[in-house]
Amino acid sequence: MEAPPSGPEFLPPPEPGPPPAPPPHPYQGMPPAAPLPASLPASLPASLPAPLPAPAGPAGKVVERPHPLTGIAKSWIALVGLILVVGRDVANNGWESLREFGPFAWMIAIFVVIFVGINLVRGIIEWRTTTFVADAEEFRIDRNFLSKRSSRISYAKIQSVDIQRSLAARMLGLASVHIDVGGSGGAHLEYLSRSRAEALRDQLLGRMRSLAGGSGAESPPAVPPGGAAVLGTPHPVPVPEPSPWPAPQPPSDVVVRMKASTLVLGLLVSGFLPWLLGAALFVAASVFWMGGFSIAAFGGVVFGVVGYLWSQVANHWNFAMTRTPQGLHVTRGLFTNISRSLKPDRIQSVSIRQDYLQRLTGLYRVRVTVLGFTHGEESGERADTVLPYGSWDDVQRVLGAIWPGIRLESMGLNGQPARARWLTPLGFHRHQWGMDGELFVARHGWLGHTISIVPHRRMQSIGITQGPLQRLLALATVHLHTTDGPVQVAAYHLDPRVARTLFDEQLDRARIARESGGPLR
């Protein structure tokens, strides 16, 4: 039997009475604004340039431009190269060294100046023709250089907001902002001041979180230089002039910070070490046993080994993960600083990897699969790495930041049946799997050890596979599927009855975990 309907529409009409008094004005009773001091200058001093007026936009919209130094930041490579080459020769041999090049010196100089000038003019034009709007309603980037393009990004589609600072940008106090919206691409905005880039990142992430949480809370609109209009108010509200200094940010909680010694140890004592020793043996053999020395071969080996080590050091240098009100931030980089935002509620699975040589050092690597995340190469390093090298304590801190309350040590694990030793003779004792009320964990590997973790509520599908040898030995493998990414979760070579029971029970666990609340929701 259905309950009788109830609600405001079914209540009896109210008794007639006097009309209600009108609500007070929202600004009634507020003290009047203080008058402006009479000593304010009538115009800007002659020594300061007048600010560039913002282009006209819709009513209530604050339209902003990139930083005026964008052109210089984009032409820094040729400019720095010219300064280094010419400056080194002048410092060593004086100005007379330039005459040794003869007419070629002028040709090279003219070519470099033209290249720098083209990039400078291109950057200035892009700065003048690029605008963006970031408020509570939309984030839009308009480019009107040769063709008009307008990109509008939904706050609900944003996966991460990253800040990148190249060497030239750091020298100029600038930063570029990259907004990742998953498989459909994203948007890149360069360059802004560092404080404006960080404020824009916090604003986008805050608006995205409010929409994802269903709270409906509106994030404050962007505050342009000189104040902003408040949307939806019938009367203008005076906005005080912002301080020229960046607003103080709440202190961040440092989850893990990798030392330089840990980075060097992790690189040298890793799977790359055999390649390094092989390169050294090849160079030694070419010198002592092959009766000759090849500069090309030696240069190729040195270039490959040193180049790899240098790229790893430059990409992972000063790696740190911090916990902020906006989520997790991963920063790294020697010359180019990259700050990537990471939303824990989007992380689908985690992989903890220890190479066969890393067992000597006790170091681990942690990678994640993120929903809607573009898993790929970023500046020579995979962007899904959340801990390049760290101890087990570092791994636990990272897991605690992603999924608070997770304790792997208290989880019981199950092994394989004895007949599975025919398929995994060396890593038989390493193939284990287990679960608790929140997680499913699988361990496997012989030389390298891997721990794969997926929450029940993050599982999207499950499957059972059985190859020819597995059918012969009456074994089966259970695969737990999440979003496409680097982490693969599977329980290998189980008894078919155990695999079928795990299949059915895991479906129920995933359904119940998604329907109920919990720390991983």
Side-chain angles (χ1 to χ4, degrees):
M1 178 181 297
E2 297 183 357
S6 61
E9 61 273 20
F10 297 99
L11 295 177
E15 295 293 335
H25 194 273
Y27 307 109
Q28 183 177 356
M30 295 180 59
L36 294 177
S39 59
L40 287 177
S43 60
L44 292 174
S47 59
L48 294 178
L52 186 67
K61 296 292 183 180
V62 179
V63 182
E64 302 179 68
R65 296 183 186 271
H67 200 277
L69 298 180
T70 299
I72 298 179
K74 288 188 174 183
S75 59
W76 73 276
I77 297 179
L79 185 61
V80 172
L82 176 64
I83 294 176
L84 291 178
V85 172
V86 176
R88 182 186 59 183
D89 291 340
V90 171
N92 294 336
N93 304 319
W95 293 101
E96 298 294 333
S97 61
L98 299 179
R99 298 181 180 179
E100 298 178 359
F101 292 94
F104 293 100
W106 291 103
M107 295 177 60
I108 296 175
I110 292 175
F111 174 78
V112 173
V113 170
I114 292 176
F115 181 78
V116 173
I118 291 176
N119 283 274
L120 184 61
V121 173
R122 173 174 170 267
I124 294 176
I125 294 177
E126 289 185 357
W127 161 60
R128 291 297 301 264
T129 57
T130 301
T131 58
F132 67 96
V133 175
D135 57 16
E137 295 180 348
E138 64 174 349
F139 177 73
R140 188 182 73 248
I141 301 177
D142 297 328
R143 293 181 172 90
N144 302 319
F145 181 21
L146 296 179
S147 60
K148 293 185 177 181
R149 292 182 301 168
S150 180
S151 303
R152 180 171 179 174
I153 297 179
S154 172
Y155 290 115
K157 299 295 183 181
I158 295 178
Q159 306 300 325
S160 65
V161 182
D162 309 326
I163 295 180
Q164 301 180 6
R165 303 186 66 210
S166 62
L167 179 60
R170 291 166 59 186
M171 296 173 60
L172 298 174
L174 305 180
S176 61
V177 180
H178 179 74
I179 300 98
D180 188 1
V181 293
S184 59
H188 197 71
L189 185 61
E190 55 182 10
Y191 285 92
L192 306 177
S193 65
R194 180 180 178 180
S195 59
R196 184 65 186 99
E198 293 177 350
L200 179 61
R201 176 191 61 187
D202 296 342
Q203 177 190 354
L204 296 179
L205 293 178
R207 180 60 180 164
M208 174 269 301
R209 282 199 324 275
S210 65
L211 294 178
S215 61
E218 299 289 338
S219 59
V223 179
V230 179
L231 301 179
T233 55
H235 302 282
V237 179
V239 178
E241 289 289 334
S243 171
W245 306 104
Q249 299 293 329
S252 60
D253 180 17
V254 178
V255 178
V256 62
R257 186 181 301 277
M258 187 176 61
K259 299 180 180 179
S261 58
T262 304
L263 174 59
V264 174
L265 181 63
L267 287 176
L268 295 181
V269 187
S270 64
F272 179 71
L273 183 59
W275 296 94
L276 181 61
L277 297 178
L281 291 177
F282 173 79
V283 173
S286 64
V287 173
F288 295 103
W289 287 285
M290 295 182 182
F293 179 75
S294 175
I295 298 179
F298 178 79
V301 171
V302 172
F303 180 79
V305 172
V306 176
Y308 173 80
L309 292 176
W310 174 251
S311 65
Q312 294 294 308
V313 171
N315 289 323
H316 291 311
W317 190 264
N318 201 25
F319 177 91
M321 174 186 285
T322 57
R323 184 191 295 108
T324 66
Q326 290 75 31
L328 298 178
H329 288 170
V330 176
T331 58
R332 60 181 175 86
L334 178 59
F335 296 109
T336 300
N337 289 347
I338 299 175
S339 176
R340 174 173 289 275
S341 59
L342 188 63
K343 298 182 292 183
D345 58 338
R346 292 277 183 168
I347 296 178
Q348 306 297 296
S349 54
V350 175
S351 173
I352 305 171
R353 173 75 177 176
Q354 188 180 47
D355 294 337
Y356 55 95
L357 291 177
Q358 293 295 349
R359 282 183 277 174
L360 302 176
T361 60
L363 298 179
Y364 299 83
R365 304 191 73 181
V366 181
R367 298 174 65 185
V368 295
T369 294
V370 184
L371 177 64
F373 192 76
T374 305
H375 296 275
E377 298 292 332
E378 176 193 276
S379 303
E381 173 57 26
R382 297 196 65 90
D384 46 38
T385 300
V386 295
L387 182 64
Y389 299 102
S391 63
W392 184 250
D393 292 337
D394 297 333
V395 173
Q396 290 181 315
R397 285 195 293 269
V398 171
L399 290 179
I402 297 174
W403 298 321
I406 298 304
R407 295 295 181 266
L408 297 180
E409 293 80 1
S410 59
M411 185 177 300
L413 299 179
N414 307 290
Q416 297 175 329
R419 58 185 180 275
R421 192 185 297 271
W422 292 98
L423 298 180
T424 57
L426 299 177
F428 174 75
H429 296 288
R430 297 295 305 179
H431 285 271
Q432 299 174 324
W433 59 276
M435 69 193 71
D436 61 6
E438 294 288 347
L439 302 175
F440 181 91
V441 178
R443 301 178 64 181
H444 57 86
W446 170 47
L447 290 178
H449 298 168
T450 302
I451 303 175
S452 302
I453 310 170
V454 57
H456 299 316
R457 69 180 72 252
R458 302 288 191 251
M459 190 192 76
Q460 297 185 2
S461 63
I462 188 172
I464 300 178
T465 60
Q466 192 177 44
L469 294 179
Q470 288 181 318
R471 288 198 300 268
L472 182 63
L473 297 173
L475 298 174
T477 298
V478 179
H479 298 269
L480 281 73
H481 305 141
T482 61
T483 309
D484 292 338
V487 182
Q488 306 295 327
V489 184
Y492 294 95
H493 312 318
L494 308 182
D495 185 273
R497 293 185 297 272
V498 175
R500 174 57 62 178
T501 302
L502 176 61
F503 180 91
D504 297 334
E505 292 180 353
Q506 189 62 29
L507 284 177
D508 294 335
R509 292 189 190 95
R511 176 182 55 81
I512 295 173
R514 285 191 293 267
E515 292 176 354
S516 62
L520 299 183
R521 187 170 181 85

